[in-house]
Every structure is written in C-alpha cells, then in structure tokens.
Amino acid sequence: MLKYFLQNKDISQIDTVCNHLNKTKHKLLENNWNNPTEDFELCADLFSEIKEIAIQRKDEQLANAQFIFKDYFKLFCNLLRYFEMLENGQYKESWNKLQDCLDAIKYIGRFAEIDNRLELNEIYDLLVQYEELYPYTIFASSEYVISKSHCSICGKSMQSLDCPHIKGELYWGEPAIECIDKIDVIQAICIVSHPEDKRCVLEISNDTRPEKEKFLMLDQYLDLKQPYLQKVTIKGIKEQRIREDIEVVGRKQPCPCGSGKKFKHCCGKNMYYEHTRYVVTPSSVVNIIMV
C-alpha cells in the first residue's frame, strides 16, 4: 500500500504529505529532535482530504493506503522521539517508545509487499539491535475472559455472524478493532520471555540503582557515539577478572581479611569473577529513502 499511495502523487495533497515526510526524515538524519511531530501535525487535514478523494473515486485501496502511509509517517516521528530519549538518558521511558516503533513496522508490513516496504526492514533490524541492549528478559502476560465486545466499524459483536469485519483488517481507511466492553474474569497472569506485547516488564521492586547502572549495556553502547542509524553486530566474550576488593597475597600466606586461614583457603577462592566483554562491530547504516 505504500507503493500505491506514492503512485498517486498527482494528487496535490499526497505530494504535499510526501514533502513534509521528507522534512521529518531529514531531521532524523541530522539528529534534529526539535518538535518531531511538527510536519505530521501539518498533514492531519491533508490525510482526511485524501480519504475523501478516495471515497469520491470509489477507490478503497487508496483510502486504506492513506491510513497505512499515515502510520508510516508517524513511525518516523516516533523514531525521532525515541532517539531523543536515548540522547537525554531516559532509558526506562524509551522502552515503550521502542515498542511503539516495532509494533508500527509489524502492522505496516502486513499491508506492504516485501519488495515495497522501503526502509522498513532495515529499521526493524536496527531496532531489534537496540532492544537487545536493554536488561528486560521476562514479562507479564494476562489471560482473561471477554464477555462483551464490539466492532469499531459496525458496532456489532465481532464473534457473531452479523459482523462482516475481520479484526485488524482495513475498510475504507478504517481498521476493524475489537473494543472490549466487559471482562468477566482474569484467568491468569503468566511470566513469559517472548510475549507479543513487551510493555509489561518485570523488575525488582527495591532496585535503587541509578538508571545508567540498570541500563549499563545500553549506556555503554551509547558512549561509543555510534550514529543512531548505524547497524552493528555485538559479540559477548566471557573473561575471568580479578576482584578489585580483594587484597592479593601469596597463596600460603595468612589471608588479609583476618580470618586466620591461608589465603588460598579463604578470599583466594573467590579472587576471580566472570565478566562479559562486548565487542561491537559496525556494519551498514540504515538507508533512509526520500519519497
């Protein structure tokens, strides 16, 4: 649908939207975080006008394409906001914005052929790279029984034959969404490692470490000052290191801790710890495509 939208640039509103999107893309390339949604907001009425033109032409594909292209535009606004958060050290808050970007790419990808996804595949690989730098590994996922819901388009229950719409599909520029009206019971809250939605993270409640320490791997990567659109490979190498808090003496000498034992039978047994050293190798930079 991205391709179909761009094929209709003879419509002045579409041409103007593309020009505004290119301005947002240039901001991304220039690390300009100033007002990331400015150009998108200027296009709000234009997207509505494009939808009306599609309806007048009885062109449902164009109506749906404008909705997907609007999400595509919004993705770059969210990317700007995400990298701004990283720049400002807002690591915890940036996680949800990262998930917004990944979810948007997955959704847009459903409606765009593999060969016509512009730079989406590259951006997705880049963001997965960032995702792996966070400390989050386990998440909460809930299971519940829905007793009442309705379709966002026709208002009827999506479980009944009266509703002709398929959840997630587009109809004249509107997505069919199942709106939940009543939840009967929450059956379970599961702890999982690879949920569809990774926003509900599990953390230690009394963890008072500074944010940079909690997000040490991400912080150390950002200290390398790689371009935000730089794709890399990261390899962890395990090493044995000597603990700095232990005074090292001869193996048979009395341990400096005052235990009365020989060093080899006391602190000497815990002299080493396992450390993972990460080697970062730059590969390609995401190629941002002007439309």
Side-chain angles (χ1 to χ4, degrees):
M1 287 192 183
L2 295 176
K3 182 180 179 181
Y4 189 73
F5 186 86
L6 295 173
Q7 286 175 344
N8 285 274
K9 286 182 72 175
D10 57 302
I11 299 173
S12 62
Q13 289 90 335
I14 291 180
D15 187 55
T16 303
V17 164
C18 290
N19 290 333
H20 280 290
L21 173 56
N22 287 339
K23 290 179 183 178
T24 299
K25 288 186 173 186
H26 277 296
K27 281 187 175 182
L28 183 61
L29 293 171
E30 296 164 1
N31 291 353
N32 178 2
W33 323 125
N34 183 38
N35 200 349
T37 62
E38 178 183 13
D39 284 285
F40 180 78
E41 290 165 357
L42 290 172
C43 294
D45 291 338
L46 295 176
F47 278 114
S48 298
E49 290 171 15
I50 294 166
K51 181 180 175 181
E52 288 302 316
I53 291 171
I55 292 172
Q56 292 170 10
R57 293 183 176 185
K58 298 182 179 180
D59 188 346
E60 185 176 10
Q61 187 177 1
L62 179 58
N64 292 339
Q66 69 79 30
F67 180 86
I68 293 302
F69 202 85
K70 183 161 57 177
D71 271 6
Y72 175 69
F73 197 149
K74 195 183 301 181
L75 167 65
F76 286 91
C77 298
N78 282 330
L79 280 172
L80 281 167
R81 181 69 182 115
Y82 173 64
F83 292 133
E84 180 188 24
M85 287 178 169
L86 295 185
E87 184 88 3
N88 295 332
Q90 298 172 281
Y91 299 154
K92 186 173 183 178
E93 294 90 338
S94 71
W95 175 257
N96 283 346
K97 187 59 65 177
L98 172 61
Q99 297 307 314
D100 290 344
C101 294
L102 287 167
D103 287 348
I105 294 173
K106 292 175 189 174
Y107 186 73
I108 297 167
R110 286 180 53 189
F111 301 97
E113 302 82 359
I114 293 177
D115 295 335
N116 295 315
R117 291 176 182 168
L118 303 175
E119 64 278 269
L120 287 182
N121 293 339
E122 280 194 84
I123 293 175
Y124 185 83
D125 291 341
L126 174 77
L127 296 182
V128 168
Q129 164 193 307
Y130 277 100
E131 190 179 48
E132 292 172 351
L133 297 172
Y134 288 78
Y136 302 133
T137 55
I138 53 175
F139 310 87
S141 178
S142 58
E143 296 179 4
Y144 44 83
V145 176
I146 299 171
S147 61
K148 186 178 180 182
S149 66
H150 68 274
C151 171
S152 61
I153 295 178
C154 66
K156 299 175 182 177
S157 171
M158 298 192 87
Q159 311 305 321
S160 72
L161 296 177
D162 293 332
C163 174
H165 305 110
I166 301 171
K167 184 164 64 175
E169 292 298 317
L170 293 172
Y171 299 88
W172 290 101
E174 295 292 333
I177 301 170
E178 183 180 15
C179 302
I180 299 173
D181 299 312
K182 185 179 179 182
I183 296 176
D184 265 359
V185 62
I186 297 178
Q187 291 183 316
I189 296 179
C190 306
I191 297 175
V192 294
S193 56
H194 297 287
E196 185 176 344
D197 186 347
K198 294 182 179 179
R199 289 172 179 79
C200 190
V201 299
L202 296 181
E203 300 179 274
I204 299 172
S205 60
N206 61 349
D207 189 349
T208 58
R209 291 176 299 162
E211 189 153 327
K212 285 193 174 185
E213 188 176 339
K214 292 180 184 178
F215 297 87
L216 184 60
M217 191 171 172
L218 177 60
D219 188 63
Q220 289 180 341
Y221 174 75
L222 294 173
D223 276 345
L224 297 176
K225 302 298 180 184
Q226 295 286 337
Y228 286 110
L229 296 175
Q230 175 73 61
K231 290 194 289 184
V232 301
T233 56
I234 302 176
K235 182 179 180 181
I237 301 174
K238 295 188 181 298
E239 301 175 331
Q240 292 292 319
R241 291 191 175 182
I242 297 178
R243 286 173 52 184
E244 295 180 358
D245 60 335
I246 292 179
E247 182 181 345
V248 180
V249 297
R251 295 181 71 250
K252 295 184 179 181
Q253 288 183 278
C255 189
C257 75
S259 66
K261 299 179 182 179
K262 291 181 179 179
F263 180 71
K264 66 178 181 180
H265 295 309
C266 191
C267 293
K269 294 192 297 183
N270 303 312
M271 190 168 59
Y272 296 94
Y273 69 96
E274 189 176 81
H275 171 79
T276 302
R277 177 168 60 89
Y278 293 97
V279 178
V280 177
T281 306
S283 54
S284 60
V285 176
V286 174
N287 178 33
I288 299 298
I289 300 171
M290 299 301 157
V291 293

